Amino acid sequence: SQLAEENPWALSVHEGESVTVNCSYKTSITALQWYRQKSGEGPAQLILIRSNEREKRNGRLRATLDTSSQSSSLSITATRCEDTAVYFCATDQDTGYQNFYFGKGTSLTVIP
Amino acid sequence: AQTIHQWPVAEIKAVGSPLSLGCTIKGKSSPNLYWYWQATGGTLQQLFYSITVGQVESVVQLNLSASRPKDDQFILSTEKLLLSHSGFYLCAWSSPVGNQAPLFGEGTRLSVL
């Protein structure tokens, strides 16, 4: 079963609107990383949020983390066509070796 | 600045043929290295990781093997490809210090026919 899961599976917004992608995870974590993957490319890091942080920002991006409900969100304001991509959350697992588990991703389409 | 390069960019191979994919990381000493596999439209599955030269740990068994012959090089290979090996192979690295999420290369698109 998935250790991390994004929702919704897919969504579309018009350029300039704001959008939020959610992530739920199943284990105790020390960090959660949001990625963006454009078609045919490797995933690019967006925001890393650690378990002792509740919110982190990077330009138009804002990530939140709620360890009590084991959930995170990624919000994008003033969306642009180039934000069209699949967004993944990836969580580490306290197993003694480094493995970040990915969800299946949310496909975001920004309509011009 | 650190750079990661994968080769080849894409491969079309026959079932039963051998495969070798490569990855090099420049600008970082003793990085943690990873191989991930991604089916079309799917999630990323970690296959192997390595924290030092000559040492590779398998995470998922997919009839593939990996080796780290140099500090900055990671190789993924198999003697006989299966149809199920098709997909997108991604090499990644992270700093050996602290719990850092992996940084990915450009990927290799593999089609097995």
Side-chain angles (χ1 to χ4, degrees):
Chain A
S1 62
Q2 292 290 126
L3 292 175
E5 185 173 351
E6 301 86 351
N7 69 85
W9 174 72
L11 73 167
S12 61
V13 297
H14 287 93
E15 199 170 22
E17 294 178 338
S18 297
V19 67
T20 297
V21 177
N22 299 294
C23 170
S24 58
Y25 58 89
K26 294 182 179 178
T27 64
S28 176
I29 65 170
T30 61
L32 185 147
Q33 175 75 56
W34 282 97
Y35 288 89
R36 168 189 292 169
Q37 185 178 28
K38 297 188 178 183
S39 181
E41 300 179 3
Q45 290 185 347
L46 296 178
I47 297 179
L48 176 74
I49 188 164
R50 298 197 181 275
S51 58
N52 61 350
E53 298 174 311
R54 291 297 168 258
E55 178 181 310
K56 208 161 183 182
R57 293 176 184 266
N58 180 7
R60 295 181 295 112
L61 307 177
R62 172 178 170 262
T64 65
L65 181 66
D66 183 342
T67 53
S68 62
S69 64
Q70 297 188 318
S71 64
S72 176
S73 69
L74 176 72
S75 298
I76 308 173
T77 57
T79 53
R80 304 168 182 167
C81 290
E82 53 262 39
D83 293 328
T84 293
V86 178
Y87 290 79
F88 292 97
C89 64
T91 57
D92 71 339
Q93 190 180 48
D94 189 15
T95 58
Y97 70 88
Q98 294 190 8
N99 189 3
F100 272 75
Y101 290 89
F102 286 74
K104 294 183 178 180
T106 290
S107 177
L108 171 65
T109 301
V110 181
I111 304 165
Chain B
Q2 300 86 6
T3 60
I4 180 169
H5 176 61
Q6 288 187 240
W7 74 91
V9 172
E11 280 266 47
I12 299 175
K13 303 279 282 187
V15 169
S17 62
L19 174 76
S20 181
L21 304 180
C23 170
T24 55
I25 294 87
K26 298 298 182 186
K28 187 66 182 179
S29 178
S30 302
N32 294 327
L33 298 177
Y34 312 87
W35 278 110
Y36 281 80
W37 173 78
Q38 185 179 34
T40 301
T43 189
L44 289 96
Q45 171 67 63
Q46 191 182 91
L47 302 177
F48 299 95
Y49 72 95
S50 170
I51 61 173
T52 191
V53 175
Q55 183 179 342
V56 177
E57 301 296 330
S58 173
V59 178
V60 175
Q61 291 295 329
L62 282 180
N63 293 310
L64 296 167
S65 60
S67 64
R68 186 171 179 177
K70 301 178 184 178
D71 185 53
D72 63 353
Q73 193 174 79
F74 208 18
I75 307 295
L76 183 71
S77 61
T78 183
E79 298 273 324
K80 286 187 177 182
L81 279 165
L82 307 172
L83 285 174
S84 57
H85 285 137
S86 293
F88 199 37
Y89 288 84
L90 292 146
C91 180
W93 73 273
S94 68
S95 171
V97 178
N99 192 18
Q100 302 292 329
L103 287 131
F104 289 86
E106 315 96 339
T108 295
R109 175 72 60 189
L110 174 66
S111 297
V112 182
L113 306 175

